[in-house]
Structures are given as structure tokens and as C-alpha cells.
Amino acid sequence: MRPVGASPPLVVIFLLSATALAYEVLLVRLFSIIHWHHFAFMIISLALLGYGVSGSLITLFRQLCLRRYGELMFINVLLFGISAIGVFLIVQRMPFNALEILWDSSQWLRLFLTYLLLSLPFLFVANSIAMTMLRFDASIGRIYGADLIGAGAGAIAIMLLLSLFEPQTILRLLSLAGLAAGLLLLRMSGRRSLSAALLGAAAVLVILLPSSWLELRLSEYKGLEQTLLVDGVGILDSHSSPVSRIDVVESRQIPFRHAPGLSLQSPSGVPEQLGVFVDGDAMSAIDRGGVGTGPGYRAYVSSALPYELGRRLDEVLVLNSGTGADILQAAAYGSDSIDAVEADARLTKLISDIFADYAGWPAIAGRVSFHAATARAWAASSTRHYDLIVRGVPGASSGGAAGVFAFAAGFDLTVDAIEDYLAILKPGGYLAITLWTDTPPKGNLRLFASVVEALKASGVGEPGRRLAWIRSWNTATLLVKQGDLTDDEIGRIRDFARTRGFDLAWLPGIEEAEANRYQILPRAYFHEAAQALLGDRATDYIADYEYDIEPVRDSDPYFNDHFRWKSLPQFLALPGRAGIAMIDAGYPTLIASLLQAVAAALVLILLPLLFLKRKASLASGSRLHVILYFTAIGLAFLFIELSFIELLTLIIGQPLYAVAITLCLFLLFSGLGSLTVQWLQEKGFATAVILRSSVFGILVITLAYILLRGWMTEHLMSLPLFARILAASLFTAPLAFAMGMPFPLGLTATSRSAPALVPWAWGINGCASVLSAILAVLLSMEIGFHGVMLCAVALYLLAWRTLPGTRAT
């Protein structure tokens, strides 16, 4: 074996970590397109599973790893480059349907196999890092720093790559990047010619791999796949970005008829349309011809309600404008100034550029201003006030009814969001929110409860006098006025509902007989809810309802999570599979995924460690300290990181920027914190003292963030984007710096007191991290992001008191 040198291969570690993090984010995007985005937490968990398993393997084969470090490093890097693309090809061909997961046990086996297969590339990267730490134990801080800084660079790099290339192309590039790291290791290989030949052969295979093999195979239950089965359907335009894949579809034989909430009484038909699918689902449409001579069919959808109340609405704000349906509706009713807010600029470009002539865009372009921002960011920063604010129905999703979006955090419909919207309404102005309906109703009832709470928080004594709520056969529109509804407006609402066959759910002075007349439900759910939520029974009604409809806030923004454990026996008691259909798949899937992760972590990470020979130096006390310490910091790090991703999304306003910046900051500054540990120890600072200082820093900064979040949200969201990013960075960097210290400190202390336990500690940390990725989501749904961060602080305090090999004083 050739000598491996006196210093660790930090450049290789940097490149591997950057590629692995980029690959992890890429898998999240790929699974969002192929299945649904709610598998993101699973990708994080399986990546960490690979890191945990590596700790166990290297603990068991410690001496072999030390003797054959150079050759084993090269083999692992080579396997990473090959497996990064290979396992995805296998997984794509494995039949799996997320929508059947509650009643088809075979889907769990397929999900578990997918989980294990996709963890393999991360296992090979983790092996390389762990072996390097074992071989160069005096430079653990530098190695860990290179690892984290590389991962931070990977977070930025993958965003740039996703902006330039299709995900399939990036998969090929990342595989080649992994193989490129092998070139830097040739000097460590005892058989340089053979190693070079293997690298070359692998690179040629990756480059020459047929593109058809890498084409994404979307779930057959996604809207795009179902649509493409129809004769005469073809894709006109397809584009992928870091946040979405957008496909524009033409149907030449069977026309699209996408008009959410359209009344059966409409005298006008829907014009020719193009279908637009986001990530293969969430269908919306582009109307041919634009506005025309009048509202046409747009006067017969439930969202037309505010335009029919006899008041001219000159200044209109359209939130989440998408492909322009709400823009065209406002323009058709004569609005002079329309601000259209849409975070995904590609959707805006479809109607204003790519298909501008088809959509009749030139006729209304002078009245519309587009803004690339989230609804919350615009509402917080806007200096304008509006006659009408519209939040239209989201794109139709084949997975939404199954609850697959339950753990998708969103800040558009929280109580805080509604307060922001009301704050930029003119006196007498309207806020109109339209949602899809479901049976039994869930989201619409939560929306009504949230609006009532927001009005009460704003000092409105009788919220019911400001609200009108109507229901079509598949949508419901809630109207909120900045002031009490007049008798004339109430009369117009009644006429609007009657002439279109819409049901009244709430209106000041509504009679019982007026509800549930046209689209008849088993019970008048909507009207019953409105009466209860506006009366003295609101608390009891929310507590007794089959689903969770309690208002949500920015600290726990899971608007689509309606699962309640107490209702589970009631649903399962229903005959056949009727009860299963009543259960939102989201929360149970999360629980089952956690159990799956626990099983994988125990079997693949902890069980192999039982085969370690017990030596005198490895006393039970040492093992217990290692277990407690590395479990605590493994859980705590991701608890804070994942909470910050969601919370900074609100402040920054652009989800893409928030994810990239948060990951980059946490990894970069954690890496710098790790490097600082090495420097402080070389200067003679005691390990326990450094740990105490870092934990104290984490405690103070986290508590300050929790206490100041409301102030930060109010003041920072109104700043320009660059200023928001800078402020978020300045606040996050010190916390990330402190969080980078406990792991290398623990490894260093363990290496001094029980060197054989160093890889084991790596494995324990990996095991905890596997669970942390899922637990963080689960806990945030139960106790909110602030609760999760407080749990993290408690875990860091536990780690401080159980530092291996020394007493934390």
C-alpha cells in the first residue's frame, strides 16, 4: 500500500460532501415530480441512515480501515459515483403508489426497499469521511469543517444547477463529480493503473447511458400521466426549475374544461384551454382569447362574488396568480390596476410571454403588474391598499384528497397571514378566498375559524356581520369585508347565490332553510360550523369535530393537517375500506415512516455494534456517555436546522432562496465552528469549557429568536429582498457557528478516553439524525416550530452534562 500522507485529503472530503448534499436536494426534487413533495423528509432521513450505517461498519472493521485506508477510500468514492445514478434507475422501475399506502401492505415493503437503496450512495460518502476521521484523529475538527463547508457549497451549487439543467442531466453530472473525486485519490491507490481504468470505465458508462433510461416515470395517479393517456393530447412546453417542473398540455380531441366552481346555470361555455401541470399535478389552465367582451363564464364561478356586489373594484391584488384565471376575471370586470403576486416566475412567463398571444395578454398587459414574491412577503411589504384581495383556488391535485400535503408547511392561510391581508384593504374593501371543497369538509372550516380569530384579534366585536360564505358543487368562497356588510350587499349576495344555484353557508341574517339547498350534503356542515364558530360554542365545536380544524399560526403552519387520533377508531369501524378513505394519509404515513426509520436505524446501525468485543477500556459508563451525548446532538442539530428552514421561508419570502441560504449558512458556519474547535484546542482551551460556551450560545440565540420572531416578521418582511436575506444571515450565522462545535468536541473527547468508540459515536449520531429528520416534522405539527427548538435546546443541555471522557463543568 502506498503511504497516504501525513495530512487528510480535505479537498476530497469537500468535494464528496458538496456532491452528496447536492444529490440529496436533487432527490427531493425528483421525488416531488415522480410522486409528491411530502417525501422530502424521507430523503433527509435516508441520507442520514447511510451516515449512521457507515459508523457501525467502520467500528466493526476498524483495523482493516486503518491498514487499507487508501484502497478503501478509493473503492467507496468509486461506488458513490456509480450508485448515485444506479440506485435511482432501480428505484424508478420499482412499482410504488403513495396513495395506496394505507390499505396495501406491499406498498410499505416497496417504500422500505426504496429507503434502503437510496441510502447506499450516502453510505459510501459517509464511509470516506468516517475513515478519514479515524485515520487522522488529530485533525477531526478540520475534517468535519471541510465536510460541512463542502455541504454548504453543495447547497448553493445544486440551486444553480437546477436553474440551468433538467434534473436527469444533473443526476448524470453529480455521478461524474463523484467519480472526479476518485482522481484525487489515485496517489493513495496501490494499483494506480487499475484504479484509473476503473474510473474511466465508470465515467464512460455514465456519459453513454441512454437518456431514455433517465426519463422520469411519474406516478400513474398524477394528473399529467392520466391526461397523457387521452388520445390527441401532447405536451407543448416543458420546463424545470429549482422549485417546479411545468408542463403545458394541448388536447386536440377532448377539450379541457377547467373552471373551478362553475355553476350549472352558466349561459356561457368555457373557451378553448391549455392545461398546465406543476410537478405533474396541480392542474390549472390558460384560456384562449383572454377577456373578450365581458366576464362570460367567469361571472358564474363562486369567486365572482365580490365583483357582483355593485361596487367598482379598481385596485385588485391577486395572490398566487398562477396561470392568470383570477387576473382575467378582474380584468373582465373592468379593474384598472391589478397587482399579481406569484412566487414561481415561470407560471407568469407562460401567459405574459410564451403563450401571450394565445392568452390574449396584449389586451390587458397595461393593467397588470407582476411581482415575483410569496403572498405573505407582498402583504407585509406593500405600501398600497386595495379594493379587493383575491386568493384563488389552488391547482387541482389528484393527491390532495388523500392528505399527501398534510405536512407541507404553508404561511398563506394562517391567522397571521389573514391579519396581514386585512391590514392592506381599503375601508369597505373585500378579501375573497376560494378553496376546493371536500366531504366531510375540513380545510374550509379551518379557514372560516382562522378568519374569525383574525377579525377578533383585530378588535372586531361581531365578525359575523363582515362575512359571507357560499358553496358551489366543488368550491367554497369566503368573503371578508373591511366593515359591516350593508343590506344592499346582503341582498346582492342572496341573488348571486340563487341565480347560480350556489348554497349559502353564512350571511348576516341567514335562515336555516337557506343553507344546503342545491348541492345537498348529508348535513349542513358549512352552516353548522359557521354558527358554532361565531357563537359561544366555538371551542367545543372545534374540539368535538372529527377532523382538526383549529386555526393555525405561523409557528405551526400545517393548514392541511387535519388528522386526529381520537377519530381513528370511528373511521376504522366503518365497513370495508370506507373508513380508510376518511383518513388523511399524511399523518399516519409520517408515523409509519418514523417506525420504519427506527427499525432501520436499530438493525443497521446499533445492532452490528453489539458484536464489538468488550474491553476494559470500553466500560459501560463510557458507552452510556457516548450514547446520550451523540443521540442528543444528533437530534438537536436537525431540530433547529429544519425549523429555521421553515421560519426563514416566511421572512425571506422566496422558498428557493430560504432553503438554499439556510442550508448554506448552517453548514458553512457550522464548519467554521468545527475548525475553530481545532484552533481553540491547539491553544490549550479545555474541551468542557468550549462545549459549555457553545451550548450557552445556542441557548441564548435560540431563545432570542423565539422571543423576537413576531417583531422580526413584522419588521423584516417589509424590507427589500436583499436586506431580508442579509438580516436572516446575520442572525443565523452565530447560531450555526455554535452548533458546529459539539460534534467535533465529542469526537475528540471520545478519541482520548476510548478511541475504539469514535466510529461508534459517529454511528450513534447518524442513528439519531435518521430519526430527527422525521421527528422534527412530527413534533412541529404537534407543538409548533418554537416547541421543536426548545426541545433542541434541552437536548444540547443534556449533551453538555454528558460529554464523553470528561465532566462538563
Side-chain angles (χ1 to χ4, degrees), residues 260 302-304 306-307 316-322 325-327 329 339 341-342 374-376 379 388-395 408-414 417-418 421 425 430-436 443-444 447 451 475-480 557 559-560:
S302 65
S303 59
Y307 299 102
V316 176
L317 172 62
V318 177
L319 302 174
N320 302 337
S321 59
D326 295 304
I327 297 173
Q329 188 176 53
D339 280 334
V341 175
E342 173 56 58
T374 62
R376 288 299 303 282
L388 171 65
I389 300 175
V390 177
R391 204 273 191 181
V393 63
F411 298 96
D412 286 359
L413 296 176
T414 64
I418 294 164
Y421 304 151
L425 276 181
Y430 306 114
L431 167 65
I433 303 174
T434 301
L435 297 180
W436 298 106
N444 281 284
L447 173 64
V451 168
T475 64
T477 295
L478 177 60
L479 184 77
V480 190
F559 185 86
N560 294 309

Side-chain angles (χ1 to χ4, degrees), residues 712-772:
M712 290 172 63
T713 300
E714 179 182 353
H715 290 80
L716 296 184
M717 286 178 65
S718 60
L719 297 176
L721 177 60
F722 176 77
R724 276 178 276 150
I725 292 174
L726 180 61
S729 301
L730 291 174
F731 197 86
T732 304
L735 177 60
F737 182 84
M739 287 170 59
M741 293 183 170
F743 184 72
L745 285 169
L747 284 184
T748 301
T750 303
S751 69
R752 291 171 179 170
S753 61
L757 288 182
V758 169
W760 194 55
W762 174 272
I764 294 291
N765 184 262
C767 179
S769 298
V770 169
L771 307 182
S772 179

